[in-house]
Amino acid sequence: MNADERWFQGHLRELDEAECWELLRSCEVGRVAYVDARGPMVVPVTFVAEDASLLFRVSAYSELARHLPGAEAALEVDDIDYFTRSGWSVVLRGPIEVVPSDELPPVDARPTPWPEGQRSLYLRLTAALVTGRRLLEA
Amino acid sequence: MNADERWFQGHLRELDEAECWELLRSCEVGRVAYVDARGPMVVPVTFVAEDASLLFRVSAYSELARHLPGAEAALEVDDIDYFTRSGWSVVLRGPIEVVPSDELPPVDARPTPWPEGQRSLYLRLTAALVTGRRLLEA
């Protein structure tokens, strides 16, 4: 991927995959991008980073449940500092599959939705491509 | 759009369009979701909110320049508070067009890229759909 395509270009450092995973593991909220009838859409989700995948939960009757299983998706996490105009962004891309309840990790290794309500459908995004970049202070 | 599809569900308040625009105007960095050969992708960009559109800049030789013009896109902004597990998210969806230089707004109304380097291609995302939600503290 061309470094030039991101919002950070100058004092830019490409993150290696280990750094990307470390940052993914430091975050609880990301933004999942998917495609519906209108085109690309992106919404926040809480997630848990696994060895080579991300696990998150959605309502079984949601738009995410309708469009994500079996499809390609991207999940982005970032930390952006307006004051110093610096930050980092990590994107994990790959296919989404439904995780059957008997294949779920222990309860304390599952993501915790912040809102109230049922989020009974567990989805896993398996990493096909992990990229990240850090914009250093100018 | 079903309220149930977002990460905030319980103490949830749907934002009206005026509130969404107010929040968009309060932000300088968003995340643009687009589709390339692999599927959905999402990367941070700096932007400026206009009357019914968002203006941002990309390198003419970037992935964004290759995939965005003439396509549908979504731009998301949010503010997420890990401590109180609350926050908001606004998404603007619509078509992307290249803005010719003679139709650009005055220089001080253009977005400022944070990184060094040329971002000579101006893109405009015109609002076809604006949605937002706020998750109140539990």
Side-chain angles (χ1 to χ4, degrees):
Chain A
M1 191 177 298
N2 189 338
D4 204 25
E5 84 189 66
R6 304 301 182 86
W7 56 282
F8 23 77
Q9 180 184 8
H11 299 288
L12 172 84
R13 189 168 68 79
E14 186 140 359
L15 302 174
D16 65 32
E17 206 170 312
E19 289 173 302
C20 290
W21 281 105
E22 190 178 336
L23 290 166
L24 284 166
R25 271 184 258 280
S26 76
C27 291
E28 196 183 346
V29 180
R31 297 148 199 101
V32 64
Y34 64 98
V35 179
D36 67 14
R38 177 183 288 270
M41 180 58 178
V42 52
V43 293
V45 291
T46 55
F47 71 93
V48 166
E50 303 178 310
D51 278 346
S53 57
L54 304 178
L55 184 66
F56 58 103
R57 299 167 61 165
V58 301
S59 161
Y61 307 103
S62 63
E63 286 291 311
L64 292 173
R66 190 155 30 243
H67 294 290
L68 279 174
E72 287 284 319
L75 195 140
E76 191 259 3
V77 295
D78 61 41
D79 189 24
I80 290 162
D81 184 337
Y82 272 68
F83 184 71
T84 59
R85 296 196 161 196
S86 62
W88 56 263
S89 170
V90 170
V91 183
L92 188 148
R93 307 180 74 179
I96 299 273
E97 58 178 352
V98 174
V99 184
S101 55
D102 60 354
E103 294 175 19
L104 283 171
V107 170
D108 61 3
R110 299 179 194 171
T112 306
W114 287 5
E116 298 172 338
Q118 287 278 327
R119 303 271 151 165
S120 59
L121 188 66
Y122 286 80
L123 300 178
R124 180 171 283 139
L125 171 52
T126 299
L129 188 63
V130 186
T131 54
R133 285 176 178 79
R134 186 184 292 277
L135 175 64
L136 305 174
E137 287 183 43
Chain B
M1 190 178 298
N2 187 338
D4 205 24
E5 85 190 66
R6 304 299 182 88
W7 55 284
F8 24 77
Q9 180 183 5
H11 299 286
L12 173 85
R13 189 168 68 80
E14 186 141 358
L15 302 174
D16 65 33
E17 205 168 315
E19 289 173 301
C20 290
W21 281 105
E22 190 178 336
L23 290 166
L24 284 166
R25 273 184 255 280
S26 76
C27 291
E28 193 183 347
V29 181
R31 298 150 199 101
V32 64
Y34 64 99
V35 180
D36 67 14
R38 178 184 287 272
M41 180 58 177
V42 52
V43 294
V45 291
T46 56
F47 71 93
V48 166
E50 302 177 311
D51 278 346
S53 56
L54 304 177
L55 185 65
F56 58 103
R57 300 167 62 166
V58 301
S59 160
Y61 307 103
S62 63
E63 287 290 312
L64 291 173
R66 189 153 34 239
H67 295 290
L68 279 174
E72 286 285 319
L75 196 140
E76 191 259 3
V77 296
D78 60 42
D79 189 24
I80 290 163
D81 185 337
Y82 272 67
F83 184 70
T84 59
R85 296 196 162 195
S86 62
W88 57 263
S89 170
V90 170
V91 182
L92 188 148
R93 307 180 74 178
I96 300 272
E97 59 180 351
V98 174
V99 184
S101 55
D102 59 355
E103 295 175 20
L104 283 171
V107 170
D108 61 1
R110 299 178 195 172
T112 306
W114 286 5
E116 299 173 340
Q118 287 279 328
R119 304 269 152 166
S120 59
L121 189 66
Y122 286 79
L123 300 178
R124 180 171 282 141
L125 172 51
T126 299
L129 187 64
V130 186
T131 53
R133 286 178 178 78
R134 185 185 292 277
L135 176 64
L136 306 175
E137 288 184 43

